[in-house]
Amino acid sequence: MSSIIRLAFRNALRNKKRTGLTAATVLIGTAFTVVLLSFLNGMMGGMTRDWVDAFGPVRIVTTEYAEREILAPLHANLPETAPLIEQISSIEGVAHTAPMIKTGVIVSVGEELGEDPAILTGSSEEWYQKYLLPKSNFIDGAWLQADAKKEQVVLGGRIARNLSAKVGDSILLMGKTQYGSMAPISADVVGIITGNSVIDSRAYVTLETARWMVDIPDGALEILVYPTSDTRSDARSVSTSVQKKLGDEYTSTAWMDTDMWKQQLPLMDSIQYILSMLVVFVMSLAIFNTMTMSVLERTGEIGVMRAMGQTRMTAVVSFLIEAVIIGVVGGILGAVIGSVPALYLEQNGIIL
């Protein structure tokens, strides 16, 4: 066997240019695959981080709300969140909870009713400080003031651009209560923030202001639950524990079990698999071409070796070992070269 391996090494080095070209093809293909998959992982990681921070690793709503959410049934709310938060906080593995109200509004500058839609978001000061503001940058202004005498609002960048609104403007937020009546709020713009597509498409008010609009004095539409561990896969076990604690009247859903992510995660896995197979196919063609030329060039040599007693299998194995050598060398170098940008992309993705 050692003689076959030595023969394979010698044959691989016989035509250095062709062997180098094939190894370079494998190297580039491997590096490209590593970088591409890492970019996709980084992109998916960024999407999931933004989603989890904005919508919560675990989300608690009433069962009626979960069944009819597409209709935005404000009446199917959590009328009192304090007792529920106390129960949820006692569950092992729960770090933070946040009552949340998200409702559609029509936004306009001044007192005239406009046509620009937005999602009005109201939550606790802790949620804003811990999960929203670290992901945001202020274009202008500052955050909501606790002791303000007039209603205040912070606008996402896209909404501010659509309205041509600036800090200091008075805007009208037209929503509705859980009973269906109109609920207008006039508020001063104190800040404009940007971050991601979710942040840019919302208007932010205090929880008390949002409660007044939807007429839920002590409640919310949902409660977001954040596990103690930063590992987002722990959300499912925490969700199960919360569901057992609260019973069938409420629905607890981990982020990866939402309808959107049930479709997106298998799709992304399929895309990664297909891209990997395409690159492997191209590299295989390059090695196949090299080995075909090598066999054709050595027809006479193979005949001499067979006449000296070399078996057919020995000849085949020597060429297979030669192909493996080229593939392994190119693959290792490609993985090493591709790992540097790959690690960065997996952690950060690409910020556009």
Side-chain angles (χ1 to χ4, degrees):
M1 188 66 182
S2 60
S3 61
I4 298 177
I5 295 175
R6 286 197 302 271
L7 179 63
F9 270 103
R10 191 203 63 168
N11 290 337
L13 296 175
R14 175 177 292 182
N15 192 328
K16 295 183 177 62
K17 290 184 178 180
R18 188 172 62 209
T19 299
L21 181 62
T22 305
T25 303
V26 176
L27 183 153
I28 293 171
T30 303
F32 175 77
T33 303
V34 171
V35 172
L36 178 63
L37 294 180
S38 296
F39 168 71
L40 291 175
N41 287 334
M43 182 178 67
M44 284 297 295
M47 289 173 59
T48 56
R49 282 192 295 270
D50 291 342
W51 174 278
V52 169
D53 288 338
F55 298 95
V58 179
R59 178 171 175 262
I60 313 299
V61 296
T62 64
T63 299
E64 181 182 359
Y65 189 92
E67 292 173 348
R68 305 178 60 193
E69 185 171 359
I70 192 172
L71 301 175
L74 299 181
H75 65 279
N77 55 69
L78 305 167
E80 293 188 13
T81 55
L84 288 173
I85 289 176
E86 185 176 355
Q87 292 184 64
I88 297 169
S89 299
S90 66
I91 297 173
E92 183 179 358
V94 173
H96 304 284
T97 58
M100 179 74 69
I101 293 176
K102 295 195 294 282
T103 184
V105 295
I106 300 297
V107 190
S108 59
V109 177
E111 298 298 326
E112 294 185 4
L113 185 63
E115 299 179 350
D116 292 292
I119 300 297
L120 184 74
T121 299
S123 190
S124 64
E125 182 67 19
E126 180 187 17
W127 185 83
Y128 283 136
Q129 295 294 335
K130 189 173 180 64
Y131 297 105
L132 176 70
L133 294 181
K135 294 281 185 179
S136 310
N137 297 305
F138 276 92
I139 298 175
D140 193 12
W143 188 243
L144 303 167
Q145 300 175 13
D147 56 351
K149 296 181 180 179
K150 186 180 178 182
E151 299 292 352
Q152 297 181 336
V153 62
V154 172
L155 297 179
R158 184 176 66 81
I159 297 174
R161 287 193 299 271
N162 292 344
L163 293 173
S164 297
K166 59 184 182 298
V167 172
D169 286 346
S170 178
I171 68 171
L172 180 67
L173 303 163
M174 180 62 73
K176 65 178 182 178
T177 70
Q178 63 168 313
Y179 305 108
S181 58
M182 303 301 292
I185 293 178
S186 179
D188 290 337
V189 178
V190 296
I192 299 174
I193 60 174
T194 187
N196 53 48
S197 59
V198 175
I199 292 173
D200 282 11
S201 63
R202 294 187 182 184
Y204 303 92
V205 296
T206 63
L207 181 60
E208 290 71 24
T209 299
R211 281 173 166 172
W212 182 90
M213 172 175 281
V214 296
D215 197 9
I216 310 174
D218 301 308
L221 295 178
E222 58 193 69
I223 296 175
L224 308 185
V225 180
Y226 294 82
T228 53
S229 172
D230 290 335
T231 304
R232 287 170 175 79
S233 59
D234 291 343
R236 183 170 285 149
S237 61
V238 170
S239 176
T240 302
S241 299
V242 171
Q243 187 68 67
K244 290 179 179 178
K245 184 82 170 181
L246 299 183
D248 295 336
E249 185 180 351
Y250 304 95
T251 297
S252 174
T253 308
W255 70 270
M256 71 283 289
D257 293 327
T258 59
D259 291 337
M260 188 193 85
W261 287 107
K262 281 183 178 179
Q263 298 174 0
Q264 291 294 328
L265 292 177
L267 176 62
M268 292 304 298
D269 289 341
S270 299
I271 291 174
Q272 291 183 7
Y273 177 78
I274 292 171
L275 290 175
S276 299
M277 290 300 100
L278 285 175
V279 174
V280 170
F281 177 71
V282 171
M283 291 188 295
S284 299
L285 284 180
I287 296 176
F288 175 78
N289 179 69
T290 297
M291 299 315 300
T292 300
M293 294 299 295
S294 180
V295 171
L296 292 177
E297 286 180 356
R298 300 175 201 163
T299 303
E301 180 182 329
I302 294 172
V304 172
M305 297 297 291
R306 290 294 308 278
M308 295 175 62
Q310 185 184 55
T311 64
R312 185 187 301 270
M313 183 58 64
T314 301
V316 172
V317 169
S318 67
F319 283 106
L320 288 177
I321 293 176
E322 181 181 347
V324 169
I325 291 170
I326 297 173
V328 168
V329 171
I332 292 175
L333 291 176
V336 172
I337 293 173
S339 63
V340 176
L343 289 174
Y344 174 81
L345 289 174
E346 188 165 352
Q347 293 296 322
N348 302 282
I350 292 180
I351 300 175
L352 300 177

